Amino acid sequence: MKTVIMAGGKGTRISELFPDIPKPLIPISNGIDTKPVLEWEICSLRDQGFKDIILTVSHMADKIMDCFGDGSRLGTNIEYFIEDKPLGNAGALFKLREKLDSDFLLLNADAVFEVDFNRMVKYHQETRAQVTLFTHPNNHPYDSGLIIADDNKQVQSWLAKEDNRPTYYKNRVNAGLHIINPKVLDEVNIDIKKIGTEDENGKTIKVDLDRQILKPLCNTGKMFCYDSPEYVKDMGTPERYKQVCQDFEYGIVQAKSLSNKQKAIFLDRDGTINKYVGFLRDIEEFELIDGVTEAIKLINASGYLCIVVTNQPVIARGEVTVPELTEIHNKMETLLGQRGAYIDSLYYCPHHPHKGYEGEIPELKIDCECRKPKPGMILKAAEDFNIDLQSSWMIGDGESDVLTGENAGCKTVLLTNENLLEAVKKIFG
Ligand SMILES: [Zn+2]
């Protein structure tokens, strides 16, 4: 699979720190070696088998080309597309169309990332998507571009920062990494021949990737999102650069690649995250417990994944519908996100073993493998995110949570007199 990396950006704010070098060449250290950020990324791609790379360059193109040459120094094959005049971030794709004969990775050189791309490619192939967007939760979803998808992860809408958003939404942000089938370039509603020419006002006709190519694919069934907790962060401002450098030096960026074993903290929901009200049926009754946001922020900063596992027999009992439950979880993610905390994933068991009640959904009235204290949800998460269960924790307010953790081979904490924040602080010492 070919990889196209958009390396033409100017990086205006970060250039305060590095006025003489283009953003992709900004140095970053892992504590042993210091290399340009793009070089780390190319090496990571190479190590995963992605050796055919096309760089689209514009701003300080010479410096980038001098650094990487034909790619042989790094054991890769690098070609360039030089934009003499800006074509927008996707204009180059049309000029490169003949070289793009099958699905390709399209990456943004503005971000620092370490991603198991083969895992993403596998997902892309399984869903038979035309486009797969890499999406992740972040600690400022309220001012990030949001992706809204259905339960099968087909993208339904794409909300920019300034667009109105629903009251409650899943913390799912577009990270700027994509797998694209080049056929979508042939189907866009723009006059491809005019790209790079001047319009009647003398302005160069450009193409914007998000607005003109990807957003029109919402609700067509052709575009899916790939939810991943892996590290992808923009380093466009001096503050973000500092954070990314620190994370890189401490190995946090690299460790979060799903090719490495992950550690997780699994959390129960009712009585652990939100106030216990018995079976929660009404979204108005969902309230976070004091200290939960701080606890989850600590988990987020620790490098552990934060994953919720919850029994929701209200679904089998016919008391809450799946869309209603989704909305309750959206409320949870929105409340956490407002204060900079996020969960990496959530699993729920909709089943219940006892039949014979009015209004129940018979096909969910089964003795399943996921209802706690069975470990099914944790085992599924371990498979989805390559989690080492022995170094992971299950925290909850019920004996059944502790049993679930034990059945999955995790360490456990039973919340009795302490709250989640105190428990998490103890784990991290
Ligand atoms: Zn179940």
Side-chain angles (χ1 to χ4, degrees), residues 197-215:
T197 64
E198 288 181 358
D199 67 11
E200 59 271 26
N201 301 318
K203 283 177 77 178
T204 306
I205 296 176
K206 304 177 186 178
V207 188
D208 182 77
L209 177 70
D210 293 358
R211 192 168 48 81
Q212 291 175 282
I213 301 179
L214 300 181
K215 278 187 193 178

Side-chain angles (χ1 to χ4, degrees), residues 349-351 368-371:
C349 164
H351 307 111
C368 64
E369 292 304 316
C370 47
R371 182 173 161 82

Side-chain angles (χ1 to χ4, degrees), residues 165-170 283-284 327 330-332 334-335:
R165 51 188 64 199
T167 313
Y168 301 130
Y169 50 83
K170 182 173 172 59
I283 191 166
E284 296 302 322
E327 189 63 359
N330 288 346
K331 180 174 181 181
M332 172 169 70
T334 306
L335 296 178

Side-chain angles (χ1 to χ4, degrees), residues 157-420:
S157 56
W158 180 319
L159 303 176
K161 251 195 264 205
E162 56 279 2
D163 291 336
N164 277 333
R165 51 188 64 199
T167 313
Y168 301 130
Y169 50 83
K170 182 173 172 59
N171 185 341
R172 179 184 267 151
V173 174
N174 175 37
L177 314 179
H178 329 70
I179 299 171
I180 295 181
N181 183 309
K183 285 186 189 135
V184 304
L185 301 173
D186 306 333
E187 293 163 8
V188 292
N189 188 21
I190 44 182
D191 192 344
I192 294 163
K193 288 188 214 80
K194 288 193 175 161
I195 299 167
T197 64
E198 288 181 358
D199 67 11
E200 59 271 26
N201 301 318
K203 283 177 77 178
T204 306
I205 296 176
K206 304 177 186 178
V207 188
D208 182 77
L209 177 70
D210 293 358
R211 192 168 48 81
Q212 291 175 282
I213 301 179
L214 300 181
K215 278 187 193 178
L217 295 174
C218 288
N219 263 325
T220 61
K222 294 178 180 171
M223 183 162 65
F224 287 68
C225 53
Y226 173 69
D227 293 325
S228 170
E230 291 165 301
Y231 194 102
V232 184
K233 251 187 209 157
D234 174 71
M235 53 159 209
T237 67
E239 307 79 59
R240 286 189 183 157
Y241 173 68
K242 203 174 145 212
Q243 181 65 51
V244 165
C245 283
Q246 200 180 54
D247 292 345
F248 206 83
E249 189 160 348
Y250 292 161
I252 293 171
V253 181
Q254 303 83 336
K256 294 203 87 172
S257 162
L258 291 181
S259 62
N260 298 314
K261 280 286 175 193
Q262 303 296 304
K263 297 180 292 185
I265 295 188
F266 296 99
L267 301 178
D268 168 49
R269 196 193 83 180
D270 301 315
T272 300
I273 293 176
N274 55 289
K275 292 179 185 164
Y276 187 77
V277 294
F279 289 126
L280 192 144
R281 302 178 183 92
D282 179 358
I283 191 166
E284 296 302 322
E285 293 184 324
F286 186 98
E287 276 184 78
L288 293 177
I289 296 170
D290 286 345
V292 161
T293 315
E294 291 72 15
I296 292 180
K297 279 168 92 163
L298 285 180
I299 298 172
N300 296 152
S302 71
Y304 280 79
L305 302 177
C306 180
I307 298 176
V308 177
V309 287
T310 176
N311 286 350
Q312 291 301 326
V314 286
I315 300 289
R317 293 154 62 109
E319 295 171 348
V320 175
T321 64
V322 170
E324 285 166 350
L325 183 66
T326 300
E327 189 63 359
I328 289 168
H329 292 150
N330 288 346
K331 180 174 181 181
M332 172 169 70
E333 294 209 36
T334 306
L335 296 178
L336 291 171
Q338 282 164 354
R339 291 156 68 189
Y342 58 88
I343 59 168
D344 291 291
S345 196
L346 177 145
Y347 296 81
Y348 69 86
C349 164
H351 307 111
H352 193 256
H354 306 130
K355 289 184 191 174
Y357 297 88
E358 203 179 323
E360 70 184 16
I361 300 170
E363 60 270 28
L364 295 178
K365 285 285 188 174
I366 56 165
D367 196 12
C368 64
E369 292 304 316
C370 47
R371 182 173 161 82
K372 293 186 287 183
K374 287 188 179 168
M377 291 187 280
I378 292 185
L379 299 181
K380 178 72 169 65
E383 187 190 319
D384 290 346
F385 298 112
N386 195 17
I387 295 168
D388 173 32
L389 293 174
Q390 286 185 350
S391 50
S392 298
W393 295 78
M394 171 75 215
I395 307 179
D397 68 325
E399 287 292 347
S400 114
D401 295 315
V402 170
L403 273 175
T404 309
E406 286 171 359
N407 289 338
C410 299
K411 295 175 269 191
T412 61
V413 178
L414 176 64
L415 301 177
T416 44
N417 295 320
E418 62 182 352
N419 66 18
L420 183 62

Side-chain angles (χ1 to χ4, degrees), residues 48-209:
Q48 299 184 54
F50 298 84
K51 294 181 182 173
D52 286 323
I53 296 168
I54 301 172
L55 297 180
T56 68
V57 291
S58 158
H59 179 62
M60 298 197 216
D62 293 349
K63 291 191 176 176
I64 296 174
M65 293 165 73
D66 285 348
C67 178
F68 297 108
D70 64 1
S72 54
R73 173 173 74 83
L74 301 174
T76 57
N77 169 34
I78 298 180
E79 293 178 68
Y80 298 89
F81 177 81
I82 307 163
E83 275 184 18
D84 303 324
K85 50 186 168 184
L87 300 176
N89 62 355
L93 297 180
F94 295 90
K95 306 290 177 189
L96 289 166
R97 178 64 185 89
E98 279 178 21
K99 295 184 190 244
L100 303 171
D101 43 14
S102 57
D103 291 359
F104 62 99
L105 266 177
L106 177 64
L107 311 177
N108 195 332
D110 288 356
V112 173
F113 52 81
E114 183 67 58
V115 168
D116 182 348
F117 284 112
N118 286 306
R119 192 178 265 259
M120 182 174 170
V121 168
K122 187 165 168 268
Y123 173 85
H124 174 77
Q125 289 165 346
E126 281 168 2
T127 58
R128 319 187 115 225
Q130 300 264 301
V131 170
T132 300
L133 303 177
F134 183 106
T135 46
H136 61 168
N138 75 10
N139 60 7
H140 53 101
Y142 45 84
D143 67 359
S144 300
L146 274 190
I147 301 296
I148 296 185
D150 67 12
D151 291 345
N152 298 319
K153 303 200 181 181
Q154 281 188 34
V155 177
Q156 294 176 308
S157 56
W158 180 319
L159 303 176
K161 251 195 264 205
E162 56 279 2
D163 291 336
N164 277 333
R165 51 188 64 199
T167 313
Y168 301 130
Y169 50 83
K170 182 173 172 59
N171 185 341
R172 179 184 267 151
V173 174
N174 175 37
L177 314 179
H178 329 70
I179 299 171
I180 295 181
N181 183 309
K183 285 186 189 135
V184 304
L185 301 173
D186 306 333
E187 293 163 8
V188 292
N189 188 21
I190 44 182
D191 192 344
I192 294 163
K193 288 188 214 80
K194 288 193 175 161
I195 299 167
T197 64
E198 288 181 358
D199 67 11
E200 59 271 26
N201 301 318
K203 283 177 77 178
T204 306
I205 296 176
K206 304 177 186 178
V207 188
D208 182 77
L209 177 70

